């Protein structure tokens, strides 16, 4: 297995660690803000990160390639989670008092996605 973590903020990177070797396996300098949340997809093929930069990003866990950027929140994305049975269905939560449901195509070239549903009403 692998573990995805945020590297030093000065590096602006998401880093993949392989615990069995306890060595850095790869680094991808594309997340431009601190990462608050990271989760594997149900298949383990992708890693989802949520960030202060108001986006969530989907990364290929084998290659560290950015697959998709989920943008549209107006504040920090504080949590993001995959559907337990679908690598293409994601929900994000933000300081903008919304949750957003995303349906993405991980087979497409790196892309930006828009939310299919915006859930409003959290005000506290």
């Amino acid at each position: 297995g692998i573990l995805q973590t945020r590297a030093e903020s000065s590096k602006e990177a998401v880093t993949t660690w392989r615990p069995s070797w306890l060595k850095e396996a790869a680094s991808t300098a594309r997340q431009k803000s601190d990462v608050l949340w990271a989760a594997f997809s149900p298949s383990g093929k992708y890693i989802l990160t949520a960030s202060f930069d108001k986006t969530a990003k989907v990364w290929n866990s084998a290659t560290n390639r950015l697959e998709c950027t989920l943008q549209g929140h107006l504040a920090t994305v504080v949590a993001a989670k995959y559907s337990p049975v679908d690598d293409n269905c994601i929900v994000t939560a933000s300081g903008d008092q919304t949750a957003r449901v995303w349906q993405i195509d991980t087979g497409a070239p790196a892309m930006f996605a828009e939310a299919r549903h915006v859930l409003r009403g959290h005000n506290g």
Side-chain angles (χ1 to χ4, degrees), residues 2-16:
I2 61 175
L3 172 68
Q4 193 83 1
T5 63
R6 179 184 61 82
E8 294 178 27
S9 60
S10 63
K11 291 183 181 179
E12 296 179 338
V14 173
T15 303
T16 302

Side-chain angles (χ1 to χ4, degrees), residues 56-101:
K57 295 180 187 276
V58 176
W59 307 86
N60 183 303
S61 63
T63 66
N64 287 346
R65 187 181 127 224
L66 177 63
E67 297 284 336
C68 184
T69 300
L70 310 177
Q71 61 184 25
H73 280 292
L74 303 176
T76 299
V77 179
V78 295
K81 187 159 177 73
Y82 279 97
S83 158
V85 295
D86 186 355
D87 280 4
N88 296 316
C89 186
I90 294 169
V91 64
T92 57
S94 170
D96 66 7
Q97 301 176 348
T98 68
R100 292 173 189 253
V101 179

Side-chain angles (χ1 to χ4, degrees), residues 2 5 7 10 13 18-19 22 31 33 43 49 53 55 58 65 68 75 96-97 101 103 118:
I2 61 175
T5 63
S10 63
R18 299 200 185 278
L22 296 176
Q31 190 87 30
S33 186
S43 70
T49 59
D53 68 1
T55 69
V58 176
R65 187 181 127 224
C68 184
D96 66 7
Q97 301 176 348
V101 179
Q103 189 70 33
V118 178

Side-chain angles (χ1 to χ4, degrees), residues 100-115:
R100 292 173 189 253
V101 179
W102 312 81
Q103 189 70 33
I104 62 169
D105 179 6
T106 51
M111 61 175 200
F112 292 92
E114 293 184 20

